[in-house]
Amino acid sequence: MNRTEGPLSGVRVVDLTRVLAGPYCTQILGDLGADVIKIERPGTGDDTRKFAPPFLKDADGNDTAESAYFMSANRNKRSLALDISKPEGQAVVRRLAADSDALVENFKTGNLARYGLGYDDLKEANPRLVYCSITGFGQTGPYAERPGYDFLVQAMGGIMSITGEPDGEPQKVGVPIADIMSGMFAAVAVNAALRHAALTGEGQYIDIGMLDTQVAWLVNAGMNYLYSGDLGRLGNAHPNIVPYQVFATGDGYIVVAIGNDGQFRRFCEMVGRADLADDARFATNDGRVRNREACIAELRPLFAARSSAEWLSALEAEGIGCGPINRLDRVFDDPHVKARGMVAEVAHPAVGGAPAKLISTPLRLSATPAGIRLPPPVLGEHTEEVLRDVLGCDDGEIGRLRDAGAIG
C-alpha cells in the first residue's frame, strides 16, 4: 500500500502519545490511512522502546534497538524526534497542529497546557482541530490529577474482581486491556469528531478517561450487578448462559458454548442423555443458570470420558459452539488465522529492509482497505522528512532547530 490509500487518506494526525492507550488509538487511525506524525523525545523516544526484551533481531540473530512492545502499537506512523520542553519544539507542534486534522495526547491532565499546547491554545489557529486527550481518570472528578496505569485501572474498574477462579485471587487480563480499550474508544471518538468537522468545519475536544472506558466495557457483567447486586466471580463460566465454559476432557480442556435451548437438547440427545433436556431444572437457560451447579455436575463426567479431539469433532458436527484452548504457538499456526492474513511481514529499516513480522489489522473494508503502509519507525526516522514536506522547512531552519536541541 502507499501512503494515500485508506478511508482516512488525507487526514493528518499529530501524535503526542506514548506507551499503549494513545499509540493504540493512533495506530488504528494510521491503519485506516491517516498520516500519523509521532512526536518522540530525542534520544529516548516512546517509553515502550525500552519495554524489552524481546527485540527485533537482525539477520545474525542479534538484538536491534526496536522492542517488540513498541512495534505492537506504532506501525503506520512517521517518527519526529522533537523536544517539546523547548520553545522551538513547542513552536513546531503549533505549526503542525495548525495544518492538521487531529491531535491525540496522553499526558497527565493539564501538562501540555503548561507548554502552550492545550486545546485552548491551539483551536484559535485551527478551529477544525479535533483534540483528543487520553488520561487515567479524565479531565474532571476527584481522581483527575492521578496518573493512570492499565493494571491500576483494571483493579479500580472492576474487571479484576470478576476475572479468575472463584476461590482464587483477583486476576488481571493477560493483555493490557484497559489501555487497549481506551485506545479503541478514543479512535472511535476521533473518527466521529472528524466526521463532524468535515460537515461543519468545527473541531472539538475529546476527553477519554481510562477508568470511564473500563466501567463502560463491563457491559453485561456491570448490568448484571446493577440489576441483581451479584458480585460473584465465575472463572471461565458465563454469568448468563449455561453451559458456556471450559470443560476437562479425557486428555485436556476445551471450551463449550451452548447458546440456546435447542442446542442444549441436541447436545443431550447426542450424548444419550435426553433426560437432561427434559428435566424441568435444565430445560431452559433460565433454569440452567439458576441450577448451574447441578447442571454442570451432570455434564463434567460426560466430557471427562472422551478426548478433546473426539469432543470437538462431535460437537462441530452438531453445530454446537466449541473450540480448543490454543497456546500462542497454535494461534499463529492456525490455518484460519493464516488464511485471514493476521501476521504480516513488512520491510523494516532496523534490519536493512529485511522483513519483520507484525500482527495485522482486523479492519477489512472492501472499497477503502486498511493495512500496513509503514513499519514501526526507528526513533526520529522521519524528522527531516516531516519538517521539509509538512512545514516547508529549509536546511537553515532545520539546522537552527538542531542547534537549539529541539530535534534529534
Side-chain angles (χ1 to χ4, degrees):
M1 298 182 70
N2 63 51
R3 289 183 184 172
T4 61
E5 293 179 335
L8 293 184
S9 174
V11 170
R12 180 177 298 130
V13 178
V14 179
D15 182 1
L16 282 163
T17 70
R18 65 264 191 239
V19 189
L20 187 54
Y24 201 77
C25 165
T26 53
Q27 177 170 270
I28 293 171
L29 301 177
D31 288 349
L32 292 169
D35 177 17
V36 178
I37 299 172
K38 182 179 179 69
I39 295 176
E40 301 188 73
R41 182 183 304 168
T44 56
D46 190 311
D47 296 13
T48 59
R49 290 185 180 276
K50 300 296 188 292
F51 286 11
F55 292 96
L56 173 64
K57 294 186 181 296
D58 64 21
D60 297 322
N62 299 313
D63 287 343
T64 68
E66 307 305 306
S67 74
Y69 198 120
F70 176 84
M71 292 176 65
S72 74
N74 287 286
R75 63 175 176 254
N76 288 330
K77 303 178 186 182
R78 296 195 279 174
S79 175
L80 167 58
L82 184 71
D83 189 345
I84 65 169
S85 70
K86 296 184 179 297
E88 296 85 354
Q90 296 158 20
V92 170
V93 175
R94 282 191 282 273
R95 289 172 63 184
L96 286 170
D99 193 35
S100 294
D101 301 281
L103 183 150
V104 184
E105 60 93 6
N106 63 346
F107 283 73
K108 284 180 65 178
T109 299
N111 273 16
L112 280 184
R114 295 192 294 110
Y115 297 133
L117 300 177
Y119 177 59
D120 289 339
D121 302 306
L122 302 179
K123 67 179 182 179
E124 185 174 349
N126 184 0
R128 63 184 175 81
L129 181 68
V130 171
Y131 191 114
C132 178
S133 295
I134 306 172
T135 58
F137 301 98
Q139 302 297 309
T140 61
Y143 303 158
E145 300 299 322
R146 295 186 185 182
Y149 300 95
D150 173 89
F151 197 9
L152 175 65
V153 171
Q154 286 198 44
M156 295 179 68
I159 193 65
M160 287 182 65
S161 76
I162 59 173
T163 303
E165 291 303 315
D167 56 352
E169 67 178 15
Q171 181 68 51
K172 73 178 181 66
V173 179
V175 295
I177 193 66
D179 274 327
I180 292 167
M181 290 302 295
S182 297
M184 293 185 70
F185 276 109
V188 171
V190 168
N191 273 297
L194 288 171
R195 171 65 172 166
H196 175 76
L199 292 174
T200 67
E202 177 185 45
Q204 60 186 295
Y205 182 75
I206 300 170
D207 173 11
I208 299 289
M210 290 175 62
L211 184 59
D212 296 346
T213 65
Q214 174 61 75
V215 173
W217 70 264
L218 288 173
V219 198
N220 62 313
M223 290 295 288
N224 287 346
Y225 164 74
L226 291 177
Y227 281 86
S228 72
D230 182 15
L231 299 173
R233 187 162 67 239
L234 295 173
N236 288 310
H238 195 291
N240 305 109
I241 307 174
V242 174
Y244 197 105
Q245 64 181 72
V246 170
F247 283 99
T249 66
D251 61 355
Y253 297 89
I254 62 171
V255 164
V256 177
I258 296 179
N260 57 51
D261 298 337
Q263 289 182 9
F264 184 69
R265 177 167 290 279
R266 289 207 310 276
F267 168 80
C268 293
E269 292 172 350
M270 179 186 80
V271 297
R273 290 296 309 273
D275 59 298
L276 293 176
D278 294 328
D279 189 316
R281 296 173 298 166
F282 310 141
T284 66
N285 185 67
D286 181 297
R288 293 191 296 276
V289 172
R290 295 180 189 277
N291 297 281
R292 178 190 300 271
E293 291 186 9
C295 182
I296 298 306
E298 294 282 358
L299 301 183
R300 282 197 177 110
L302 300 177
F303 283 103
R306 300 167 69 179
S307 71
S308 294
E310 289 176 303
W311 273 116
L312 293 174
S313 177
L315 292 168
E316 287 173 4
E318 290 293 327
I320 295 171
C322 63
I325 302 173
N326 288 335
R327 299 186 317 180
L328 294 187
D329 54 349
R330 295 192 66 181
V331 171
F332 288 112
D333 195 44
D334 186 279
H336 189 81
V337 173
K338 287 182 173 181
R340 297 287 286 177
M342 285 308 300
V343 175
E345 292 191 346
V346 59
H348 199 289
V351 287
K357 291 181 179 180
L358 295 174
I359 297 176
S360 296
T361 176
L363 303 176
R364 300 175 189 274
L365 292 80
S366 62
T368 53
I372 301 174
R373 297 165 291 113
L374 296 172
V378 299
L379 178 58
E381 179 182 348
H382 305 97
T383 297
E384 290 200 17
E385 176 183 305
V386 170
L387 294 175
R388 293 182 192 279
D389 295 353
V390 179
L391 299 184
C393 295
D394 58 21
D395 289 343
E397 189 170 5
I398 292 172
R400 287 189 291 275
L401 287 168
R402 185 164 283 114
D403 291 342
I407 60 174

